[in-house]
Amino acid sequence: MRDLLAALAELRERLKEIPQADERRLPDLKTEILGRKAGALTRILARVPKLDPASRKEVGAAANALKREFEAALNARERELKHAATSVSSLDLTMPGRTSWRGGLHLVTQVVDEICEIFHELGFTRAVGPEIETERNNFFALNFPNDHPALDAQDSFYLDGDLLLRTHTSPVQIRTLERYRPPIRVVIPGLAYRRDPFDASHSPVFEQIEGLAVDEGITFVDFKATLAAFARRFFTPDTQVRFRPSYFPFTEPSAEMDVQCQICRGAGCPTCKQTGWMEILGSGMVHPAVLENTGVDSERYSGFAWGMGPARIAMSRHGIPDIRLLYESDVRFLAQFAEGAR
Ligand code: DAH
């Protein structure tokens, strides 16, 4: 009996080998200890029935307890090795690593920059003005009559007194003409505000780019040629443009410029409402009253001006059907246009 207890104690030492065993060693270890014929513990257990009753009880209890410990340790190690094996094989070493999130420029910002860049090459510099304006700069100096509907609180966001959120970027024409003497050639990007519903084609806040050229001897030919050159640079060299007569208080004559629809190339599609054309800007020859209101001699100087909506232009270029897609800040939508953004 003594020798059996000593053998069990010795065997217990081998429990320590199990957590270190690898998948080749583990089955051998199992056989060595618990093998049905020659397992060390099996052999001890086989001798238990031949012992005298008192020893049988003691050795039997100790041997069975040790057997359960071995079984538990072997099972635990087996599970551990199996788990390690599956997690190794599910690791795809060719998978690209996780990188940090990178932002990009909003589509409308990109279009604003691109437009300003093209006009920069044509000799125009960038100017800016405040979003809070006086009625005088926003309307009266631009030759709006006192009863123009845009002056109504229904249509514009008025602040205290005669201040309002500018309804267009045209007041920066006034600021520019009052601050600099001709020759003047500026493009003026910025936000404008109107009490419009936020729907598929309107946003109460939107970007505009204003343009103004004033000098001696500027004619309608300069005006048409400059804007047509811009359209061919911005869209494609063969893009057709047309000018339609229009009306603005601050230009005379006034015109709207259309470009051939970029989606159907003029054939007619839902984006251009089957017309084959997309309106991209309002424009005209600067009204002499605007020059006089800002102290510029309208006998000596003439000029042209225009205002365009970069969001609309982005929409016509990419066939985006709803302006809200641009202003709702859904990065999943915007990221497709932002180079390098993820
Ligand atoms: N300010 C006009 C608008 O918001 C756009 C515009 C039209 C600007 C003609 C101009 C222009 O400079 O000449 O609708």
Side-chain angles (χ1 to χ4, degrees):
M1 170 189 153
R2 279 261 162 85
D3 58 329
L4 286 181
L5 287 178
L8 283 174
E10 214 171 284
L11 215 48
R12 172 174 291 278
E13 282 298 297
R14 303 202 57 190
L15 267 173
K16 294 182 193 144
E17 289 176 39
I18 297 174
Q20 264 84 55
D22 61 17
E23 55 270 55
R24 269 180 296 159
R25 177 78 185 120
L26 198 65
D28 292 346
L29 210 54
K30 197 170 174 177
T31 317
E32 277 169 41
I33 314 286
L34 298 173
R36 277 216 273 154
K37 283 184 199 144
L41 192 54
T42 315
R43 287 217 301 252
I44 296 171
L45 278 160
R47 289 170 60 189
V48 171
K50 291 164 207 152
L51 296 172
D52 62 87
S55 307
R56 195 190 306 158
K57 205 173 169 194
E58 193 185 341
V59 178
N64 276 313
L66 189 60
K67 187 181 176 188
R68 281 192 296 275
E69 281 184 66
F70 267 109
E71 279 167 352
L74 287 162
N75 282 340
R77 183 61 184 152
E78 236 162 44
R79 272 199 305 273
E80 222 172 75
L81 290 172
K82 199 162 151 195
H83 179 76
T86 51
S87 55
V88 164
S89 65
S90 66
L91 197 110
D92 180 356
L93 297 174
T94 65
M95 218 163 84
R98 263 183 234 164
T99 46
S100 53
W101 187 80
R102 195 160 72 214
L105 292 180
H106 190 286
L107 176 59
V108 177
T109 307
Q110 293 180 53
V111 168
V112 168
D113 287 347
E114 198 179 332
I115 291 172
C116 289
E117 192 55 39
I118 292 171
F119 280 106
H120 183 74
E121 285 174 26
L122 295 171
F124 288 75
T125 52
R126 224 190 245 233
V128 286
E131 288 168 22
I132 295 175
E133 265 298 2
T134 58
E135 275 191 307
R136 187 249 171 197
N137 285 345
N138 194 81
F139 296 124
F140 303 130
L142 286 164
N143 201 37
F144 278 64
N146 287 328
D147 58 356
H148 193 280
L151 275 94
D152 199 302
Q154 295 262 317
D155 293 311
S156 307
F157 291 105
Y158 275 86
L159 306 167
D160 284 350
D162 80 330
L163 296 177
L164 75 161
L165 296 179
R166 66 182 177 193
T167 60
H168 50 179
T169 44
S170 303
V172 191
Q173 287 192 34
I174 303 301
R175 291 175 177 273
T176 306
L177 288 166
E178 287 181 335
R179 180 144 175 209
Y180 305 100
R181 295 290 102 191
I184 286 170
R185 282 194 296 263
V186 286
V187 278
I188 305 149
L191 291 173
Y193 300 82
R194 286 182 201 171
R195 281 190 185 269
D196 279 333
F198 192 31
D199 64 22
S201 49
H202 297 87
S203 166
V205 190
F206 56 98
E207 268 94 352
Q208 276 201 333
I209 300 178
E210 192 79 16
L212 176 69
V214 175
D215 200 355
E216 278 175 279
I218 288 192
T219 69
F220 203 80
V221 172
D222 300 307
F223 157 58
K224 277 182 76 174
T226 304
L227 293 180
F230 157 73
R232 288 192 287 265
R233 274 294 310 277
F234 184 81
F235 295 105
T236 55
D238 60 342
T239 291
Q240 303 272 328
V241 301
R242 70 175 185 188
F243 292 83
R244 281 178 294 103
S246 185
Y247 172 79
F248 300 101
F250 36 92
T251 45
E252 182 58 32
S254 303
E256 276 164 331
M257 187 171 91
D258 297 342
V259 298
Q260 211 177 18
C261 175
Q262 298 299 301
I263 305 301
C264 63
R265 308 289 319 166
C269 70
T271 303
C272 62
K273 300 199 180 74
Q274 309 302 331
T275 62
W277 296 95
M278 326 248 294
E279 182 197 319
I280 67 157
L281 55 86
S283 57
M285 300 301 290
V286 179
H287 197 294
V290 172
L291 298 176
E292 294 301 330
N293 289 342
T294 53
V296 178
D297 181 356
S298 65
E299 294 292 328
R300 183 169 165 201
Y301 295 105
S302 56
F304 60 89
W306 74 91
M308 54 194 173
R312 286 263 177 93
I313 292 177
M315 289 165 73
S316 55
R317 191 190 235 182
H318 296 285
I320 298 167
D322 190 319
I323 198 167
R324 289 171 292 196
L325 288 166
L326 291 174
Y327 289 126
E328 275 170 353
S329 302
D330 184 338
V331 176
R332 291 168 303 177
F333 174 79
L334 296 172
Q336 64 186 313
F337 303 106
E339 223 173 274
R342 277 187 310 266

